[in-house]
Amino acid sequence: MGNIQVMPPELANQIAAGEVVERPASCVKELIENSLDAQASHVHVELQQGGIQAIVVTDDGSGMDAEDAVLAFERHATSKVRHPRDLFRIRTLGFRGEALASIAAVARVELQTRQRGAAAGTRVRVEGSRLQGPAEPTGMPPGTRIEVRDLFFNTPARLKYLRSVQTEQARCMEVVQRAAMARPDVAFRCDVEGRVAFRTGGRGDLLEVLAALWGIPEAEQLLRVDTAHRDYRVTGYVGRPAQAKSSRNFAHLFVNGRPIRNLTLHQAVLTAYGERLMVHRQPIYALHIEMDPALVDVNIHPHKSEVRFSEERDLAELVREAVAAALGGASLIPPAKLAPPSPERVVGGRSVPSPQPPTRVEGSRGVQVSLPLGRSRWSPAVRPVLEAALRTEEHPPDVVREPSPQAEVDAQTEVSGSVSRTREPVLPPLRLVGQVLGTYIVAEAEDALYVLDQHAAHERVLYERFKQRLEEQRVSAVPLLTPLTVRLLPEERQAVQAHRELLEAYGLHVEEFGGADMVIRAVPDIWEGLDALRLAEELLRELPSVGKVADPREPLREWLALRACKAAVKAGMTMSEPELTALLEALSECRDPFHCPHGRPIWIRLTRRELDVQFRRIV
């Protein structure tokens, strides 16, 4: 007998399940996609022990009859693809026919489902790909409920590679949150160990969903994006540069309602931010792309999270333009972050902090009920009642209506062809107050106080001036009294020789001196007053990496201009009133007057109302 044998169905199913169900979060994703494809308007996800012990997904979708309920557990069983041509115009989230079969191969699954109008529902139980008896009738509302227990109970090797319960739980919640952002028209609820972790209203408002997931203060600062061109439409929200995070966990892309990952589109967003971001900071955004399904291939990966676009370059450019329009049409001055003063009461002739009452903060896009942060002084009998109010959305007493701390400034975009036009950012008319602490400039305007970092402001002014001079080749060479001799590596010498004409156009003259040595005879005049010799040597060392791009002119100009910003006025330097006024005027003419070239904010804003609160003029 030969060595090649056909695997038993159970073993084949377990191996196939490895491509679809890697961890509990994979299971949650597949079940949610089935609910959405069934036209559910409410999806309820319950997790126990990070989804390892139990995952329950309940929806109010179309449901199935008894025959389909059993057939759904067969491999390659699907209601979403009938012909090969359907693969090129996929409009559903799931379509491979692997989800339930793969999950049932490595878990204990119970399916309850009922179609609208049916007298009763159907219950089916499967363990390790084996049906546990025939389908049974059951009473239930229309929709589907799938309970997945003891994930990987029959594949212990897979089970031991799972992370901690907290990690797996967090990944499951991320899946539900992405689904809620992808479909703001569907109400989602996620329970963890029997308690509500978050919920969304399903009213079709993406900003309302982001407020529920990221918090109202974060959502209030987001900028609206809405641009269309031929085959694509890009909508959603992007964060202001001050909202940037240290990771990409707050960066979300959706194509036709499907959460995706795409490095090219993410890079397009980063390009739109430009120098507004600090080093190692990532923007926050939730962008929806609507397009003809024929222009995107979602069938290149088992998890369907990576897709291939037929016109990726055009789409990336539209995304960049859309984000740039939103940022360019808004004031990007972040508000000052001040902690509200604690209320006080008089006890024994002295003032002591009072317990803060629960508040209901009501904004223009919904209601958030919250208890005071920090150590609570509410009695043990009262606090459970207030916590219950949070879960059931009952309104506690002492309702406070609080206006938004900063008016939302949406980018008003006019789309003509493929170009998005938006108004130029306009700074408020400022009245100089003066310089404080030898570092900051204070000005006032529009019932608000503005504080500027003088070094960051001057850096921005110099950077844009030097960048423009480099682009227009209006940089002169300053001969060195004592030429600098440097010894370069072979690849560094090769890069100098390849880009010698470009370097000379920017004022840097370098000649061969023999062997591995080269001599620097002149440097750009924008480096005047700086350690030009050290900067020149640094540039020659980095030139091989700068020259690897197709067009090295832009990165080289960036390098030269950024180093020239070292000439900016430093913290601790006293400036005269005319100098301060001139700096403010020059800053107002900059393309980006809100951030230094390294992405740090130049301004903060403190409103009259915030000052009145701090001084207890209003409470």
Side-chain angles (χ1 to χ4, degrees):
M1 186 175 179
N3 292 324
I4 298 178
Q5 301 179 21
V6 177
M7 288 186 294
E10 293 83 359
L11 178 59
N13 285 341
Q14 287 182 14
I15 294 174
E19 295 184 357
V20 179
V21 184
E22 293 181 346
R23 55 187 356 104
S26 308
C27 180
V28 172
K29 173 182 177 292
E30 298 292 342
L31 296 181
I32 288 178
E33 287 182 351
N34 282 347
S35 295
L36 296 176
D37 286 341
Q39 307 302 314
S41 60
H42 291 76
V43 178
H44 183 194
V45 179
E46 302 169 76
L47 303 171
Q48 293 181 16
Q49 292 296 299
I52 303 170
Q53 179 179 329
I55 300 169
V56 182
V57 177
T58 307
D59 66 58
D60 60 352
S62 57
M64 294 177 281
D65 60 20
E67 182 180 355
D68 282 351
V70 175
L71 189 59
F73 287 95
E74 295 291 330
R75 288 195 66 198
H76 311 308
T78 177
S79 63
K80 301 159 188 176
V81 176
R82 302 285 184 181
H83 305 283
R85 63 177 178 270
D86 294 339
L87 291 175
F88 300 99
R89 298 187 65 86
I90 292 173
R91 297 183 179 275
T92 55
L93 297 174
F95 54 86
R96 292 171 175 264
E98 299 171 338
L100 286 181
S102 296
I103 294 170
V106 292
R108 298 183 172 96
V109 181
E110 179 178 284
L111 165 69
Q112 297 182 49
T113 184
R114 177 189 166 195
Q115 293 180 314
R116 287 180 177 81
T122 301
R123 180 170 63 186
V124 178
R125 292 181 296 113
V126 183
E127 287 189 13
S129 298
R130 294 179 181 272
L131 278 171
Q132 304 298 299
E136 304 171 344
T138 186
M140 63 173 297
T144 300
R145 181 183 186 274
I146 299 181
E147 182 175 337
V148 180
R149 288 197 168 273
D150 303 327
L151 193 61
F152 303 133
F153 78 97
N154 56 352
T155 52
R158 298 269 299 282
L159 187 62
K160 77 175 184 179
Y161 282 106
L162 294 181
R163 300 293 182 90
S164 66
V165 168
Q166 291 77 13
T167 299
E168 299 299 338
Q169 174 182 297
R171 292 183 174 180
C172 290
M173 292 178 63
E174 288 173 5
V175 169
V176 187
Q177 290 176 348
R178 283 197 298 269
M181 286 185 277
R183 292 291 303 274
D185 60 318
V186 175
F188 283 86
R189 172 175 164 178
C190 182
D191 291 2
V192 176
E193 308 299 343
R195 302 188 65 177
V196 179
F198 68 86
R199 63 182 0 155
T200 63
R203 287 177 281 271
D205 188 340
L206 176 59
L207 189 61
E208 184 178 83
V209 173
L210 297 177
L213 302 182
W214 296 350
I216 291 178
E218 198 83 80
E220 280 184 322
Q221 299 185 60
L222 298 176
L223 302 172
R224 175 71 177 166
V225 173
D226 193 343
T227 300
H229 169 60
R230 289 204 310 266
D231 300 315
Y232 309 105
R233 185 182 181 195
V234 181
T235 61
Y237 292 89
V238 295
R240 300 168 189 269
Q243 294 177 268
K245 310 297 182 185
S246 59
S247 72
R248 288 176 55 183
N249 292 340
F250 287 75
H252 298 280
L253 287 169
F254 308 92
V255 172
N256 295 340
R258 179 191 303 278
I260 68 159
R261 296 191 302 264
N262 186 279
L263 184 59
T264 301
L265 297 186
H266 178 70
Q267 189 62 44
V269 175
L270 290 177
T271 302
Y273 276 85
E275 308 106 13
R276 297 181 178 98
L277 292 177
M278 293 180 64
V279 178
H280 306 309
R281 304 294 285 180
Q282 295 289 333
I284 71 172
Y285 59 85
L287 295 177
H288 282 253
I289 302 170
E290 300 171 28
M291 59 191 301
D292 186 336
L295 297 177
V296 57
D297 184 0
V298 299
N299 195 27
I300 65 172
H301 192 277
H303 294 165
K304 303 182 289 292
S305 59
E306 298 177 10
V307 299
R308 181 184 293 116
F309 299 104
S310 60
E311 300 174 356
E312 187 172 75
R313 183 177 298 179
D314 292 344
L315 178 57
E317 179 60 19
L318 183 64
V319 169
R320 187 200 64 77
E321 289 178 356
V323 175
L327 295 170
S331 171
L332 301 181
I333 302 176
K337 296 180 180 179
L338 300 177
S342 300
E344 297 180 348
R345 56 194 176 116
V346 177
V347 176
R350 62 188 181 92
S351 296
V352 298
S354 299
Q356 302 175 34
T359 61
R360 173 168 142 261
V361 179
E362 186 171 342
S364 60
R365 299 184 181 272
V367 175
Q368 174 177 323
V369 182
S370 62
L371 291 176
L373 298 175
R375 187 172 181 178
S376 174
R377 287 179 287 273
W378 296 101
S379 69
V382 173
R383 187 169 181 83
V385 177
L386 298 175
E387 290 177 339
L390 280 173
R391 293 193 295 271
T392 60
E393 295 185 344
E394 296 173 3
H395 301 326
D398 297 327
V399 175
V400 177
R401 188 177 300 271
E402 180 177 296
S404 168
Q406 179 170 357
E408 182 67 28
V409 184
D410 286 347
Q412 303 298 325
T413 309
E414 300 175 5
V415 180
S416 175
S418 63
V419 179
S420 300
R421 300 194 309 270
T422 184
R423 64 183 183 274
E424 291 295 322
V426 178
L427 293 177
L430 298 172
R431 187 185 72 82
L432 177 66
V433 176
Q435 184 188 37
V436 296
L437 305 177
T439 302
Y440 301 104
I441 304 170
V442 179
E444 64 174 350
E446 295 181 347
D447 205 31
L449 193 68
Y450 293 84
V451 182
L452 296 79
D453 182 325
Q454 66 188 34
H455 176 68
H458 198 206
E459 271 193 323
R460 166 54 62 179
V461 170
L462 293 180
Y463 171 78
E464 294 201 9
R465 284 180 181 173
F466 294 154
K467 191 80 175 293
Q468 184 175 359
R469 287 177 57 187
L470 287 164
E471 290 172 355
E472 299 172 356
Q473 293 190 4
R474 293 189 293 108
V475 178
S476 302
V478 177
L480 298 177
L481 295 178
T482 304
L484 172 68
T485 302
V486 293
R487 175 158 295 186
L488 302 179
L489 297 174
E491 62 174 4
E492 295 167 350
R493 294 179 67 253
Q494 184 178 358
V496 171
Q497 293 167 354
H499 302 294
R500 187 189 304 276
E501 291 185 5
L502 183 58
L503 292 173
E504 290 183 356
Y506 295 150
L508 188 61
H509 293 191
V510 184
E511 299 176 358
E512 293 189 18
F513 193 65
D517 294 338
M518 301 197 82
V519 61
I520 301 171
R521 297 198 178 277
V523 296
D525 60 356
I526 60 174
W527 287 356
E528 201 162 359
L530 303 176
D531 188 350
L533 302 183
R534 182 180 60 82
L535 291 175
E537 185 174 1
E538 286 180 3
L539 174 57
L540 298 183
R541 300 290 186 198
E542 295 187 24
L543 192 59
S545 59
V546 172
K548 286 181 180 178
V549 298
D551 185 355
R553 288 176 295 181
E554 174 58 26
L556 188 56
R557 287 195 295 260
E558 185 81 7
W559 200 99
L560 291 166
L562 279 174
R563 270 52 180 189
C565 290
K566 295 179 180 294
V569 61
K570 302 296 189 293
M573 289 185 177
T574 302
M575 299 178 67
S576 66
E577 184 172 333
E579 290 173 329
L580 296 172
T581 301
L583 179 56
L584 289 179
E585 291 177 353
L587 185 63
S588 68
E589 297 174 358
C590 287
R591 180 179 55 83
D592 176 12
F594 306 113
H595 306 88
C596 82
H598 312 286
R600 289 197 304 114
I602 295 174
W603 311 67
I604 60 171
R605 183 177 69 104
L606 186 60
T607 65
R608 172 67 176 267
R609 183 184 182 280
E610 290 164 335
L611 286 170
D612 288 343
V613 168
Q614 292 295 315
F615 287 101
R616 302 184 184 277
R617 288 180 173 273
I618 60 174
V619 293

